[in-house]
Amino acid sequence: MENLSGKVFLITGATDGIGKLTALELAKREATVYIHGRSPERIETTIEEIKESTGNNNIKGYQADFASFSEIRILAEKVLSTPGSLDVLINNAGMGGGEQGNNERTLSQDGFEICFQVNYLSTFLLTHLLLPKLKATPSSKVVNVSSLGQAPIDFNNIMLENDFKELRAYRQSKLAMIMFTIDLAEKLQKEGITVNALHPGSMLNTKIAYGLFGKTFGDAKSGADAIVHLATALELAEVTGKFFDVKRESRALPQAYESDSRTKLWDLSRQWTEVG
């Protein structure tokens, strides 16, 4: 088990499920771990649990609601103002297809279909805002948690005003994450930053899986292991722009490899998030 002392990891959505287990594993390896969550109380509880379990006191928390771009900007400012490097950004925050699992279309604070914003647009924004810190850290990485459950994006109905279905909302947001991964990897290749995405496992015992399907049968720990592997494995140090099914390189839906579709998504994402 590689010692990660001196390395700094930021994990979004890290107060429960796969994100929390990922933070715990990295803390065991003596990394400095920044955890993000939506609830201040859960952030504090998670920090204390990790410290007590691992003896690692280099754990710091950040609060933000991914349904709000203004909160994402505040989060980024706080991370950027924290002294030191940022070696790995793990974009894990996410939700199922509807706010309450009721298969009803819900809008974010910024007026977007909430799953698309929480699972994708806010990650797009946060990653761009943190690029100065990533660029200042040699051999930094971005790891995007996606899924094998993907759906093509209909650019005439991207916010699903017509025929909203919870599972489709979730799946198109996860394909968007992979499309973002491919484009960002290409744009950052000369900066020495790798960007990869993964499916951490099927039907793992997480709130998202239970909310979407009403049952789970996989161990969330295996998903955390896959994330840690992609973030730290020496043999993947120079791999970029790829999608992994757990620990094996895989392929996303064909739309992910269509440059025209990716360009459309990138341009819309920049417009909606007001990224320069």
Side-chain angles (χ1 to χ4, degrees), residues 22-161:
T22 300
L24 182 64
E25 180 59 29
L26 293 170
K28 287 179 181 177
R29 301 190 189 189
E30 301 183 26
T32 295
V33 183
Y34 298 162
I35 67 167
H36 152 267
R38 187 169 59 171
S39 160
E41 294 77 18
R42 292 183 68 179
I43 292 170
E44 289 305 313
T45 299
T46 302
I47 289 173
E48 291 308 311
E49 287 178 1
I50 293 173
K51 287 181 176 180
E52 185 174 335
S53 176
T54 66
N56 184 342
N57 290 318
N58 295 319
I59 315 296
K60 184 176 176 63
Y62 298 87
Q63 186 275 331
D65 186 344
F66 268 51
S68 166
F69 289 152
S70 63
E71 291 198 24
I72 295 299
R73 291 183 182 279
I74 293 170
L75 166 62
E77 289 173 5
K78 290 180 178 178
V79 174
L80 290 172
S81 66
T82 301
S85 62
L86 178 59
D87 293 274
V88 184
L89 169 60
I90 298 175
N91 288 313
N92 170 72
M95 62 178 293
E99 188 168 21
Q100 303 297 334
N102 56 13
N103 210 33
E104 292 183 6
R105 183 173 176 269
T106 305
L107 299 183
S108 71
Q109 295 180 34
D110 300 288
F112 299 100
E113 192 278 311
I114 194 167
C115 186
F116 198 75
Q117 176 160 339
V118 169
N119 288 5
Y120 167 65
L121 284 175
S122 287
T123 291
F124 181 94
L125 175 59
L126 179 64
T127 304
H128 276 87
L129 294 175
L130 293 181
L131 283 179
K133 206 169 187 70
L134 289 164
K135 289 178 180 180
T137 306
S139 303
S140 59
K141 299 175 182 291
V142 177
V143 173
N144 292 325
V145 179
S146 182
S147 175
L148 277 180
Q150 304 154 25
I153 296 170
D154 178 355
F155 287 96
N156 294 315
N157 188 32
I158 195 166
M159 293 300 155
L160 301 178
E161 294 97 337

Side-chain angles (χ1 to χ4, degrees), residues 87-267:
D87 293 274
V88 184
L89 169 60
I90 298 175
N91 288 313
N92 170 72
M95 62 178 293
E99 188 168 21
Q100 303 297 334
N102 56 13
N103 210 33
E104 292 183 6
R105 183 173 176 269
T106 305
L107 299 183
S108 71
Q109 295 180 34
D110 300 288
F112 299 100
E113 192 278 311
I114 194 167
C115 186
F116 198 75
Q117 176 160 339
V118 169
N119 288 5
Y120 167 65
L121 284 175
S122 287
T123 291
F124 181 94
L125 175 59
L126 179 64
T127 304
H128 276 87
L129 294 175
L130 293 181
L131 283 179
K133 206 169 187 70
L134 289 164
K135 289 178 180 180
T137 306
S139 303
S140 59
K141 299 175 182 291
V142 177
V143 173
N144 292 325
V145 179
S146 182
S147 175
L148 277 180
Q150 304 154 25
I153 296 170
D154 178 355
F155 287 96
N156 294 315
N157 188 32
I158 195 166
M159 293 300 155
L160 301 178
E161 294 97 337
N162 301 316
D163 194 27
F164 176 84
K165 289 184 173 59
E166 188 175 73
L167 195 56
R168 178 172 179 80
Y170 174 80
R171 286 175 169 170
Q172 76 160 9
S173 73
K174 289 302 183 179
L175 183 65
M177 285 286 280
I178 299 170
M179 296 166 76
F180 171 50
T181 296
I182 294 169
D183 273 348
L184 188 65
E186 183 177 314
K187 294 176 189 299
L188 294 179
Q189 199 153 18
K190 292 182 180 179
E191 303 284 351
I193 301 172
T194 64
V195 188
N196 293 291
L198 83 158
H199 165 66
S202 298
M203 298 291 287
L204 305 182
N205 56 332
T206 65
K207 288 193 302 184
I208 288 178
Y210 189 81
L212 287 171
F213 302 107
K215 60 182 178 179
T216 64
F217 52 78
D219 183 5
K221 176 65 166 57
S222 66
D225 289 344
I227 294 171
V228 171
H229 176 75
L230 185 54
T232 65
L234 294 178
E235 64 269 26
L236 300 177
E238 296 183 6
V239 174
T240 192
K242 302 298 183 182
F243 172 62
F244 289 80
D245 179 359
V246 190
K247 296 181 181 180
R248 295 189 303 176
E249 189 176 326
S250 186
R251 295 282 290 180
L253 289 187
Q255 190 181 34
Y257 306 101
E258 297 172 0
S259 59
D260 288 349
S261 293
R262 292 202 313 273
T263 298
K264 283 183 186 177
L265 179 64
W266 185 276
D267 290 345

